[in-house]
Amino acid sequence: MAKRSGVRVGKIDLDTCGAALLLGVSREEGVEVLRGGEASQEDLADPQILCIEVGGSGQVAERNFDHHGLGSEGLFSATLQ
């Protein structure tokens, strides 16, 4: 099985771009814009995949940076996380 990696984003906005910049994302990393706006549970559980604004609110240890959805009340923006 091939190693999974890359970056998943839901939309290109200032918060997404700011978080990506601070996390050192480059063009070579395979950024995928998810049209549905949500990453799969498999992607969110995989620490090799960086997820920005596509779910996993506040799960920064798993490399999920989001502040929307269930359980997100009081969370800082993805950039501040």
Side-chain angles (χ1 to χ4, degrees):
M1 179 185 230
K3 181 179 176 183
R4 295 164 33 88
S5 64
V7 181
R8 309 292 188 267
V9 299
K11 60 184 174 182
I12 306 301
D13 64 8
L14 187 57
D15 194 22
T16 301
C17 291
L21 176 70
L22 290 172
L23 293 164
V25 173
S26 69
R27 291 177 186 240
E28 292 77 31
E29 292 191 61
V31 176
E32 182 180 341
V33 179
L34 304 177
R35 298 295 172 210
E38 292 288 322
S40 69
Q41 289 303 311
E42 184 179 21
D43 285 351
L44 291 171
D46 188 338
Q48 296 299 315
I49 297 178
L50 175 60
C51 294
I52 304 173
E53 296 279 274
V54 290
S57 295
Q59 299 170 337
V60 296
E62 288 84 16
R63 296 180 19 123
N64 301 328
F65 298 85
D66 198 344
H67 61 111
H68 304 285
L70 294 175
S72 64
E73 186 176 321
L75 287 177
F76 292 113
S77 68
T79 300
L80 284 174
Q81 287 179 33

